[in-house]
Amino acid sequence: MSYAEQSVKEQQHGPNRNRWLILANVSLGTFMSTLDGSIANVALPNISAIMNAPLHQVQWVLTAYLLTICATLPIIGNLSDRWGRSRVYNYGFLVFVLGSIGCALSSSLAVLIMSRIFQAIGASCLMSNSQAIVAEIFTTQRGQALGIIGTVVSIGSLTGPGIGGVLVQHFGWGSIFWINVPIGIAAFIAGWFILPKTNTIKDKRSFDYFGSFLFAFGMTAFLYTFSHAEDWGWQSGRFWSLFIVSAATLVVFYFWERRIRFPMLDFSLYRIPAFAIGNVTATLSFISLSCTTVMMPFYMQNVLQFTPSLTGYVMIAYPLTMAIVAPLSGGLSDKIGSYALTTGGLVINAIGFALLTGLGLESSAWVIAFHLMVFGVGAGMFHSPNNASIMGSVPKAKLGTAGGLNALVRNIGMVLGISASVSLFSYRFGNLTDGSGSMLHLTADLAPQALRALHLVFWVAAAVCMVGAFLSAVRMKKKI
């Protein structure tokens, strides 16, 4: 059913009266699932000390969560189109709650990591269906509604360390998981009554088990390889061996999906220009913006010697600005279309990175906050209309698959952006200091060299944004 047909149907039968309540429920699920991707960061030292485990092993508390989500998003999106998006989404709350209880009660690192994997499966149920449910019930004001979801994603991702720090300090590390339990149960009960009732697919289609295995293994190996590239070395045999294995697996997966009748991942969606270009530009956007989440805290704490709390307050300028701009941009896209806004947002982000190269060794917190607000404007302008364009371009029956893929590119972009920015900084910093400098142990006399290395990262990120803006402009020119 096309967008126009859906609008006519809504005019005939009336809009879903509970759609704003549904949006609130979906926003809560989105917030919880993205928040838990970063809320455990500040708890790692406590977990390491209590469980007597080295920090590089405890790091798997974060890595396992992210990798599981990336490996399962398209699979769960496909299953949601079969079993009903609302049903899979709502039961995702229960899985997430049970995983959270397991995390909070864990007495060993192995149990904690396994519980995080279970929790991530619930988060994947929430992430893969949130945009699909919103796109289905908001046939009008779709851009505005997806703008709110985009804002929640940003706020959840960026406020995790701050909320986690308060909970860990006052209530212990288990509290960051216990807090999910009452909220998740309340959201499940509410969703049981207000979420739209979706029907399962009536034809008996076989599920692509082998394709799902290939994707899960290939994507997990691919992201694991890049997330550890800096530790292993980009030229190490370990990196290239695992990279070749992951790439070969994904190539086999592609050809397998093309030959079977009912594929797990429908590559025909990428023949829809708005869907394909929207996902590519979204990936480029998240790759570039991930540079700010890694490099800016490093710059403020290691170069400017800001306290962690001051750094956190400054970083909030980004999501707060996006919280204002994204719904406005989404609403505007409902009236004028998406493409001018997406192109303009990427150009603004490129300008923001260029402005960051003007920061020095004595920049004030207010000046830095203003610079981060530029990214809030650019990201808010881009992501809401882009999500509306992507979800509005696919058939209704495939909204779950499309939502899963859209959430997947966000996570892939973040992993690649973090890995690339850290590696690029380390490479440039090492050259400037003849190998004597370290990102983790920065001395005051090496701050100028660190700043020059940061500027290179920001210029590269600006170039990535401009590539995305060019693709978006081509989409706008062709009216796709």
Side-chain angles (χ1 to χ4, degrees):
M1 182 182 293
S2 67
Y3 181 88
E5 291 171 338
Q6 290 174 348
S7 298
V8 170
K9 182 178 179 180
E10 183 180 86
Q11 293 172 3
Q12 293 174 345
H13 300 284
N16 190 312
R17 296 180 179 179
N18 292 325
R19 62 180 184 168
W20 292 105
L21 290 176
I22 295 171
L23 178 61
N25 184 278
V26 170
S27 297
L28 182 59
T30 302
F31 179 76
M32 290 174 63
S33 57
T34 54
L35 179 76
D36 269 60
S38 60
I39 196 173
N41 293 25
V42 294
L44 295 187
N46 299 70
I47 297 173
S48 177
I50 293 173
M51 295 189 175
N52 194 28
L55 197 57
H56 72 272
Q57 293 182 6
V58 176
Q59 186 71 24
W60 272 97
V61 174
L62 305 179
T63 305
Y65 186 84
L66 176 62
L67 292 182
T68 302
I69 288 176
C70 290
T72 57
L73 273 171
I75 298 172
I76 292 179
N78 180 279
L79 291 174
S80 299
D81 287 335
R82 296 163 176 266
W83 297 345
R85 287 181 281 275
S86 295
R87 182 180 294 109
V88 173
Y89 170 84
N90 209 34
Y91 281 112
F93 276 119
L94 289 185
V95 176
F96 191 81
V97 166
L98 291 174
S100 298
I101 294 174
C103 291
L105 295 177
S106 297
S107 57
S108 68
L109 184 60
V111 175
L112 177 58
I113 293 173
M114 291 302 298
S115 298
R116 280 286 277 179
I117 292 174
F118 192 76
Q119 185 192 40
I121 294 174
S124 190
C125 293
L126 299 173
M127 286 185 181
S128 62
N129 288 288
S130 58
Q131 292 183 15
I133 292 172
V134 170
E136 183 175 2
I137 65 173
F138 281 87
T139 53
T140 59
Q141 297 179 293
R142 176 179 288 171
Q144 183 180 7
L146 289 173
I148 294 173
I149 293 295
T151 300
V152 172
V153 169
S154 178
I155 293 176
S157 300
L158 296 174
T159 58
I163 296 175
V166 173
L167 291 173
V168 171
Q169 181 176 349
H170 295 285
F171 305 104
W173 70 265
S175 62
I176 63 176
F177 301 113
W178 281 121
I179 195 172
N180 295 326
V181 177
I183 298 175
I185 292 175
F188 171 79
I189 295 173
W192 188 268
F193 293 101
I194 66 174
L195 287 174
K197 307 303 179 185
T198 53
N199 297 320
T200 58
I201 293 178
K202 297 183 183 301
D203 58 319
K204 303 297 183 180
R205 302 191 302 172
S206 58
F207 183 70
D208 181 16
Y209 293 101
F210 184 63
S212 298
F213 166 77
L214 289 174
F215 178 83
F217 177 80
M219 185 55 63
T220 301
F222 177 78
L223 295 178
Y224 179 79
T225 301
F226 275 88
S227 64
H228 289 78
E230 181 60 26
D231 296 330
W232 299 342
W234 289 87
Q235 297 180 348
S236 68
R238 188 177 184 182
F239 170 82
W240 283 105
S241 297
L242 192 54
F243 172 75
I244 292 172
V245 169
S246 63
T249 303
L250 291 175
V251 169
V252 172
F253 165 74
Y254 171 77
F255 285 106
W256 172 262
E257 295 299 283
R258 293 295 301 271
R259 67 177 293 272
I260 65 172
R261 185 179 180 186
F262 300 118
M264 183 277 290
L265 198 161
D266 188 355
F267 281 99
S268 67
L269 289 175
Y270 289 96
R271 291 199 288 266
I272 303 172
F275 180 84
I277 297 180
N279 275 282
V280 171
T281 54
T283 303
L284 295 174
S285 176
F286 281 110
I287 287 175
S288 61
L289 291 176
S290 293
C291 296
T292 62
T293 61
V294 175
M295 292 293 121
M296 291 308 294
F298 168 78
Y299 165 67
M300 286 185 277
Q301 294 188 64
N302 293 57
V303 176
L304 301 182
Q305 300 299 308
F306 284 7
T307 63
S309 59
L310 178 58
T311 300
Y313 290 136
V314 174
M315 289 295 294
I316 288 177
Y318 174 4
L320 285 182
T321 306
M322 185 176 176
I324 298 172
V325 175
L328 297 176
S329 175
L332 187 60
S333 72
D334 291 326
K335 299 177 181 179
I336 68 172
S338 304
Y339 311 126
L341 292 167
T342 56
T343 304
L346 288 168
V347 170
I348 289 176
N349 283 339
I351 294 173
F353 280 114
L355 291 174
L356 288 182
T357 63
L359 295 176
L361 299 175
E362 298 181 355
S363 299
S364 70
W366 287 106
V367 171
I368 299 171
F370 172 77
H371 282 70
L372 292 176
M373 290 172 65
V374 175
F375 293 101
V377 173
M381 282 182 60
F382 171 78
H383 288 294
S384 304
N386 193 60
N387 289 339
S389 173
I390 291 172
M391 300 304 291
S393 68
V394 301
K396 182 179 178 182
K398 297 181 179 179
L399 282 173
T401 300
L405 291 172
N406 197 19
L408 176 64
V409 301
R410 178 176 71 241
N411 288 278
I412 292 176
M414 290 170 64
V415 172
L416 296 180
I418 291 171
S419 301
S421 61
V422 171
S423 295
L424 184 59
F425 173 87
S426 299
Y427 172 77
R428 180 59 173 159
F429 190 43
N431 286 343
L432 292 172
T433 60
D434 296 324
S436 62
S438 170
M439 185 175 180
L440 296 177
H441 303 95
L442 178 65
T443 57
D445 59 310
L446 296 180
Q449 290 90 331
L451 192 61
R452 290 173 62 186
L454 283 170
H455 288 173
L456 176 62
V457 174
F458 295 147
W459 280 121
V460 172
V464 172
C465 288
M466 290 308 299
V467 172
F470 172 77
L471 293 175
S472 185
V474 171
R475 173 176 58 176
M476 177 173 62
K477 183 178 180 180
K478 293 185 177 180
K479 303 294 184 182
I480 59 177

